[in-house]
Amino acid sequence: MSFSAGKLILFGEHSVVYGGLALVASISRGVRARVVQEAGSEKTEVVRKAIEVAGGDSDIKVKIESELPVGSGLGSSAAVASSVIKTVREYLGKPIDQDELFQLTMECEKVAHGNPSGVDPASVVYGGLIAFIKGEPLERLKIKDPIKLMLVNTGKPSETTKEMVERVANNPDKEAIIKDIGQLAERAKKRLVEGGEISQLINENGILLEKLGVVGERARTLSEQLRGLGASVKITGAGGVKTGSGMMIAKAKDFAKIRKLLDNSQIDYFETTVGEQ
Ligand code: MEV
């Protein structure tokens, strides 16, 4: 059996595809996979590719249990690929190190995403809180004060990550927005490491993602409501516009009012802490 943790992007999704900095943290929820003899889970394209790159035969069956909503910004496809590769390699008696696991998970991400930056596989494979720039060695961050966050489900996006990345590519104003997001991530990194408030920066990144055109009406309305209750919010991951926009980060001094609103509106959420040693 092998486990791979999901991830949440604190700052820098989409701009990371263009070479900007992203800050990403692994979360305690994730995906478990094991090789089974009886009927396994249905094989998605990513699962088939993961078995193949791990060197397994196509008749290998795997059972997958996921705590991550699919396609909702928490790195579900990278976590599925990584956990399947690990369990197949265990089964074949060929242990895998982290660097090879990263390379192979990245191969599978290409099936799911087309042109991935690699931020999802990096987080899922190496864990912790990392500063990631495409094609560069990743940097592990030690943050001064752990951050308590709420992850709010704005609904499953109708679009794939690939479609959302393409949508950004077609936005004529993308250059300036992407540059601003990258700069925000740099400022946030400094504050996280040295200590300091990042609430305002979360909000600013959230608003820039709205301008970039990756946040749908439902998530924008919810953002306004949560901001009205004093929270800082941004979507995390690729987003979505037609229906849901996936998971949204909410940070607040007092979560009680937010919990009440979400409970009354029957919106799913969970709480997590980033940066605990
Ligand atoms: C998806 O979790 C993050 C994106 O920036 C895509 C990528 O970096 O490959 C939207």
Side-chain angles (χ1 to χ4, degrees):
M1 202 282 295
S2 75
F3 175 78
S4 290
K7 66 98 196 12
L8 74 89
I9 298 183
L10 286 170
F11 292 93
E13 50 274 271
H14 287 292
S15 65
V16 68
V17 173
Y18 295 84
L21 171 72
L23 305 179
V24 57
S26 55
I27 58 174
S28 55
R29 294 183 180 208
V31 175
R32 282 178 182 77
R34 65 194 157 89
V35 174
V36 289
Q37 304 308 323
E38 71 276 19
S41 304
E42 203 190 318
K43 279 189 194 163
T44 61
E45 219 183 332
V46 170
V47 173
R48 267 197 295 272
K49 182 79 184 167
I51 294 172
E52 180 198 317
V53 298
D57 290 337
S58 57
D59 57 5
I60 285 188
K61 295 193 257 320
V62 288
K63 180 129 182 80
I64 296 166
E65 282 157 3
S66 179
E67 300 159 331
L68 304 173
V70 175
S72 293
L74 297 184
S76 146
S77 69
V80 165
S82 153
S83 60
V84 169
I85 294 166
K86 279 196 287 186
T87 198
V88 170
R89 289 289 288 261
E90 255 168 39
Y91 173 76
L92 297 174
K94 294 183 189 160
I96 185 163
D97 65 21
Q98 279 188 325
D99 292 345
E100 192 188 357
L101 182 60
F102 173 74
Q103 295 304 334
L104 299 185
T105 304
M106 189 71 183
E107 290 287 301
C108 302
E109 279 290 274
K110 286 183 188 149
V111 171
H113 290 181
N115 175 29
S117 66
V119 67
D120 290 16
S123 177
V124 159
V125 170
Y126 298 103
L129 175 64
I130 57 182
F132 179 90
I133 296 177
K134 188 176 172 178
E136 292 189 11
L138 58 85
E139 188 185 346
R140 286 190 178 282
L141 299 184
K142 264 215 175 108
I143 69 171
K144 210 148 183 253
D145 309 305
I147 317 163
K148 213 172 152 232
L149 294 171
M150 222 174 225
L151 278 165
V152 182
N153 195 345
T154 76
K156 186 171 164 11
S158 306
E159 302 87 346
T160 61
T161 297
K162 191 175 174 187
E163 284 165 341
M164 294 311 292
V165 169
E166 278 163 11
R167 191 180 161 85
V168 170
N170 292 328
N171 180 335
D173 302 324
K174 67 170 183 299
E175 227 167 280
I177 302 171
I178 273 169
K179 192 165 155 235
D180 288 349
I181 294 178
Q183 283 171 355
L184 263 181
E186 299 283 353
R187 279 163 61 202
K189 180 183 165 193
K190 200 161 157 13
R191 287 201 197 168
L192 286 171
V193 174
E194 292 174 2
E197 242 325 306
I198 57 156
S199 302
Q200 180 59 24
L201 301 181
I202 289 181
N203 250 339
E204 284 177 33
N205 194 157
I207 291 163
L208 286 168
L209 286 166
E210 289 168 30
K211 282 195 187 150
L212 199 54
V214 296
V215 187
E217 178 119 18
R218 194 196 288 174
R220 282 207 305 272
T221 306
L222 184 59
S223 301
E224 250 171 61
Q225 286 176 314
L226 297 179
R227 286 182 184 131
L229 295 177
S232 306
V233 299
K234 72 174 268 289
I235 59 138
T236 185
V241 286
K242 284 192 206 127
T243 51
S245 305
M247 299 305 277
M248 175 184 274
I249 293 173
K251 182 177 182 301
K253 283 206 175 74
D254 175 10
F255 282 114
K257 277 189 258 170
I258 297 173
R259 281 189 206 109
K260 198 166 164 197
L261 176 117
L262 297 173
D263 288 339
N264 286 343
S265 319
Q266 296 186 319
I267 294 174
D268 285 343
Y269 62 92
F270 66 93
E271 292 171 36
T272 187
T273 305
V274 168
E276 270 176 334
Q277 303 302 323

